[in-house]
Amino acid sequence: MKGKVPNEFIRELISSTDIVEVVSRFIKLKKTGKNYMACCPFHHEKTPSFSVSPDKQIYHCFGCHATGDVVTFLSEHEHMSFIEAIEELANLKGMTVPYEKSDVTKDRDQEIDITQCYQALDAANKYFRWQLKYAENAKDVIEYIKGREISGQTAKYFQIGYAPELWQGLYDVLSQKFSDKVLSAVGVVIQNEQSRIYDRFRGRLTFPIYNRRGQIVGFGGRIISSDKSQPKYLNSPETPVFHKSQELYGLYQLKQREKPTRIIVVEGYMDVVGLYEAGCYHAVATLGTAFTEDHAKVLFREVDRIILCFDGDKAGQSAALRAFQIIMPLLSDTKEARFLLLPESEDPDSYVRKHSRAAFEALCDSALSTSEFFSYFITKDKDIDSADDVAKILSKAKEILTGIKDNAYLESIKNTLAQKLGMSFAQLDAFLKHTNNSQKSEPSNIVRWQKLDINHLTVVEKALAYILMMPKGIDEVVQRNNTVLFACKTEQHIILLDALNIIRQNIGLTSAMLVQILTEKYEKFRQYFYQLMQLPVELDEKLLIDELIAMLDKVTKEASQSELELLISKSKRTILTEAERHKLQKLLHKKEKT
């Protein structure tokens, strides 16, 4: 497993990156004064309100109020996690991400050399490719491939190989260069309880799985015998370099070609290969696992439309429903998913060989929208004229849709289902949103920073907002006024004090860097910091600094008064410590002077 990315590396990455350069890779920016403007990529608009500041190294939309730095932009625009955005940014900069491993991870992986892992997998692939040509039964294997209507050119394109029916064929070759620890770690061999080592893949076609950097991270194996006791497909296990829920077979190859307008997600390796052979070059497959949220996010970085294609059997339909629930929260006015359910007993490979690529592409063109799919799935095998069946439909719909965040797609789904059931939208919506009184209500004690009203900030928050917006402009003031230290009565007071200290210690910080350094200590407050920076300001920089100094003075006095009152109250109940007595005298003296 990957470890934590060091904060020092994240700081270096952000400080060495120009946000304008990165954002302009995805949207067209136009210089307007000091900043760059564009139509916001996070909501539909005709008049540009999306601003990118090279000085602050942040972006802000005056329409939907989206705000953040270069990492936030990649996370939101490309549907990445924070770590994925760091990795992508590092990749753009040609930098290698150094991961910190926890003691537990180190013990488990025993400090396995990741470079050796990749080298071992590459060597295994060369072995499998060699065996496809020179194994004793190579002619039979090639005839099997030809029988599946796969050409030599396509087999070479996907680097299809063959693992012979030998217990230690691969191990005998690779163990001359790689340790048992490495070979076991990457999953090409298995070590049993008696410490006997044997090849994982035997008597199978092999399909190397590439990550987005073109490195082999694992294999899929397809049995070619008629042995029903063996699983049809066998996949590499989770390893230090292979995470099934994040990788997709065929995606690396797909990205080497012209950028597609849509990607078709299928269930098997041979489906991808068969579609490619037929001339359909934009299919990928999950790796022996269900379709995951990570898969969806990876695909939406590449295209705006995903077609989820499932076999026509019951298992395929169940998988389609799971995919529906996973992908719904990720859809927007620019990201769309459609569902293709093949006829029963058909898969994409068999369908395209039987009917042609044009027929399969036509099916893709007519794939069901999310609302059409849900309406079909929820009402199939039901009589909508039967009150009992309608009750079952409504109950199932409520079970599936509960918890899915409201968006345009959910409204469309409700509308389509209401029409099919002969109900009004309002009736259906009221039923789905009705909550049993016995159910637990949502907790109401949401902390302030999660529901910030930018128009009703406290003095502390307003001062913090000013500091975040112009750390470069106030660093001289902060250096001169080294006495802005006060008693901290809330977390916002502590953050404000930390922000001032950070500016003292780091001259010339951008807003993005200040937020990053603060976030390292106050991880859950990242979005809160960017919300504060949405505070509308009409003053020029000089007046803004004057107002900030006045606010800091007020905050200091209020905090000192609060601490003074607490110490006086405590002194009436108990004996103060020497430090507390000293602090009380100091505060009283300061109050007398003012």
Side-chain angles (χ1 to χ4, degrees):
M1 280 184 68
K2 298 175 181 177
K4 184 178 181 293
V5 179
N7 289 327
E8 293 77 12
F9 176 80
I10 296 174
R11 291 188 197 180
E12 179 187 354
L13 186 63
I14 292 175
S15 64
S16 65
T17 302
D18 180 6
I19 190 172
V20 175
E21 180 184 340
V22 175
V23 173
S24 61
R25 287 172 176 262
F26 302 94
I27 60 175
K28 189 175 181 180
L29 297 174
K30 182 179 180 181
K31 194 151 190 334
T32 307
K34 291 197 303 182
N35 298 332
Y36 290 80
M37 298 295 294
C39 286
C40 181
F42 302 115
H43 80 288
H44 180 71
E45 64 177 5
K46 294 181 180 179
T47 304
S49 64
F50 183 81
S51 173
V52 181
S53 168
D55 184 41
K56 298 177 181 178
Q57 286 294 302
I58 65 169
Y59 65 87
H60 175 67
C61 176
F62 296 96
C64 69
H65 305 297
T67 307
D69 59 18
V70 65
V71 178
T72 313
F73 178 84
L74 279 178
S75 298
E76 296 298 323
H77 191 269
E78 298 297 289
H79 299 281
M80 298 180 180
S81 67
F82 179 80
I83 293 298
E84 288 173 329
I86 290 294
E87 291 173 336
E88 189 68 19
L89 193 57
N91 191 40
L92 290 174
K93 299 284 294 180
M95 299 168 71
T96 301
V97 180
Y99 298 100
E100 293 177 346
K101 287 197 172 185
S102 65
D103 292 338
V104 173
T105 306
K106 284 179 181 177
D107 290 343
R108 187 188 63 236
D109 292 346
Q110 298 181 339
E111 297 181 354
I112 291 169
D113 188 327
I114 297 299
T115 301
Q116 283 227 321
C117 288
Y118 287 123
Q119 290 173 348
L121 288 163
D122 191 57
N125 188 52
K126 288 175 180 174
Y127 169 84
F128 294 141
R129 292 286 292 157
W130 190 89
Q131 289 291 344
L132 183 61
K133 291 182 179 180
Y134 301 110
E136 287 185 13
N137 61 333
K139 288 184 178 179
D140 295 334
V141 177
I142 291 172
E143 282 303 312
Y144 172 84
I145 293 174
K146 288 180 178 178
R148 297 297 299 258
E149 299 182 19
I150 302 301
S151 67
Q153 186 178 5
T154 296
K156 182 179 180 181
Y157 180 77
F158 284 100
Q159 293 282 293
I160 295 173
Y162 173 63
E165 193 67 72
L166 298 171
W167 282 99
Q168 291 187 317
L170 175 67
Y171 176 71
D172 286 344
V173 174
L174 265 59
S175 60
Q176 298 177 37
K177 184 177 180 181
F178 302 99
S179 67
D180 293 353
K181 180 175 67 176
V182 168
L183 296 178
S184 296
V186 297
V188 293
V189 301
I190 298 172
Q191 188 168 10
N192 63 19
E193 293 178 357
Q194 289 76 40
S195 296
R196 181 170 180 262
I197 295 177
Y198 56 93
D199 295 354
R200 178 179 297 275
F201 300 100
R202 304 181 307 280
R204 295 175 180 270
L205 289 183
T206 58
F207 302 82
I209 301 159
Y210 292 84
N211 64 17
R212 61 186 173 195
R213 295 180 181 85
Q215 299 162 307
I216 295 174
V217 293
F219 293 93
R222 208 275 186 199
I223 197 165
I224 60 175
S225 72
S226 56
D227 185 358
K228 299 291 185 182
S229 66
Q230 295 291 323
K232 184 188 292 186
Y233 284 102
L234 186 65
N235 302 289
S236 289
E238 291 280 315
T239 74
V241 297
F242 180 45
H243 309 286
K244 295 180 185 180
S245 66
Q246 298 172 7
E247 304 293 349
L248 289 153
Y249 179 72
L251 181 61
Y252 173 73
Q253 289 91 336
L254 180 152
K255 289 177 66 175
Q256 306 314 301
R257 305 182 66 86
E258 185 178 345
K259 188 173 176 66
T261 57
R262 64 187 182 186
I263 291 179
I264 304 165
V265 182
V266 295
E267 295 184 81
Y269 302 95
M270 287 302 296
D271 291 326
V272 174
V273 175
L275 288 173
Y276 180 90
E277 179 69 38
C280 181
Y281 304 131
H282 45 277
V284 299
T286 53
L287 306 169
T289 63
F291 185 72
T292 68
E293 182 178 343
D294 284 333
H295 289 146
K297 289 178 177 179
V298 166
L299 291 172
F300 275 139
R301 294 176 209 161
E302 307 300 329
V303 292
D304 294 335
R305 173 183 284 194
I306 299 171
I307 296 177
L308 296 154
C309 178
F310 296 94
D311 297 349
D313 54 18
K314 286 186 177 179
Q317 293 191 13
S318 296
L321 178 61
R322 288 196 300 272
F324 167 86
Q325 292 172 296
I326 286 166
I327 209 164
M328 271 295 295
L330 303 178
L331 302 181
S332 67
D333 56 350
T334 60
K335 303 296 180 185
E336 176 189 9
R338 287 185 168 266
F339 293 80
L340 173 56
L341 298 176
L342 293 173
E344 196 165 351
S345 77
E346 292 275 24
D347 58 38
D349 178 37
S350 66
Y351 189 91
V352 78
R353 283 191 283 135
K354 188 183 298 184
H355 300 285
S356 79
R357 183 195 78 179
F360 181 76
E361 293 280 12
L363 278 183
C364 291
D365 292 338
S366 60
L368 301 175
S369 66
T370 48
S371 58
E372 291 168 336
F373 166 75
F374 185 76
S375 179
Y376 158 77
F377 184 89
I378 206 77
T379 60
K380 69 182 177 67
D381 303 327
K382 297 287 191 300
D383 179 4
I384 59 175
D385 292 324
S386 163
D388 286 344
D389 277 6
V390 168
K392 292 176 183 177
I393 291 169
L394 291 173
S395 178
K396 188 67 175 177
K398 186 172 183 176
E399 176 189 332
I400 295 171
L401 298 179
T402 296
I404 295 179
K405 189 178 178 181
D406 283 344
N407 59 30
Y409 284 90
L410 186 57
E411 296 296 296
S412 176
I413 287 168
K414 293 177 183 177
N415 192 51
T416 301
L417 182 59
Q419 289 178 7
K420 191 153 190 173
L421 297 179
M423 303 171 65
S424 70
F425 176 88
Q427 286 176 310
L428 178 64
D429 191 48
F431 173 81
L432 295 177
K433 289 183 176 179
H434 176 70
T435 305
N436 221 319
N437 290 333
S438 62
Q439 293 177 337
K440 292 182 179 180
S441 59
E442 288 293 316
S444 58
N445 58 334
I446 301 175
V447 295
R448 174 176 174 75
W449 57 267
Q450 288 178 315
K451 295 184 70 176
L452 184 66
D453 183 351
I454 200 66
N455 297 313
H456 294 86
L457 299 181
T458 65
V459 176
V460 177
E461 288 174 325
K462 197 171 181 180
L464 183 56
Y466 282 12
I467 290 170
L468 290 170
M469 285 190 283
M470 53 174 195
K472 282 184 181 179
I474 66 167
D475 52 12
E476 288 186 16
V477 174
V478 173
Q479 291 294 334
R480 290 198 309 267
N481 293 274
N482 198 35
T483 55
V484 187
L485 298 172
F486 44 79
C488 301
K489 61 179 181 178
T490 69
E491 197 155 20
Q492 278 80 4
H493 282 84
I494 298 170
I495 293 171
L496 179 59
L497 181 58
D498 277 349
L500 291 168
N501 287 331
I502 289 167
I503 292 171
R504 287 191 187 96
Q505 297 162 14
N506 301 271
I507 301 298
L509 281 180
T510 62
S511 296
M513 278 304 300
L514 178 57
V515 170
Q516 172 56 34
I517 296 171
L518 283 171
T519 304
E520 291 167 13
K521 185 173 181 180
Y522 308 98
E523 188 175 349
K524 294 182 179 179
F525 281 70
R526 177 183 289 273
Q527 194 55 40
Y528 170 73
F529 296 143
Y530 284 122
Q531 287 182 60
L532 285 176
M533 291 169 70
Q534 296 174 22
L535 178 68
V537 176
E538 297 178 357
L539 301 174
D540 62 28
E541 188 170 299
K542 185 179 183 306
L543 291 174
L544 207 62
I545 291 173
D546 291 342
E547 185 173 343
L548 174 63
I549 292 171
M551 284 191 291
L552 291 175
D553 184 54
K554 182 178 180 181
V555 168
T556 302
K557 289 177 180 177
E558 287 180 349
S560 296
Q561 179 63 30
S562 177
E563 186 165 14
L564 176 61
E565 291 171 359
L566 285 172
L567 288 171
I568 291 173
S569 175
K570 185 177 180 180
S571 69
K572 294 177 180 178
R573 302 190 309 272
T574 185
I575 298 173
L576 297 179
T577 65
E578 185 177 345
E580 287 173 333
R581 288 199 303 273
H582 177 72
K583 188 64 179 285
L584 178 59
Q585 290 171 358
K586 188 175 180 180
L587 289 171
L588 287 170
H589 177 68
K590 185 177 180 181
K591 185 175 182 182
E592 288 174 4
K593 285 182 66 178
T594 56

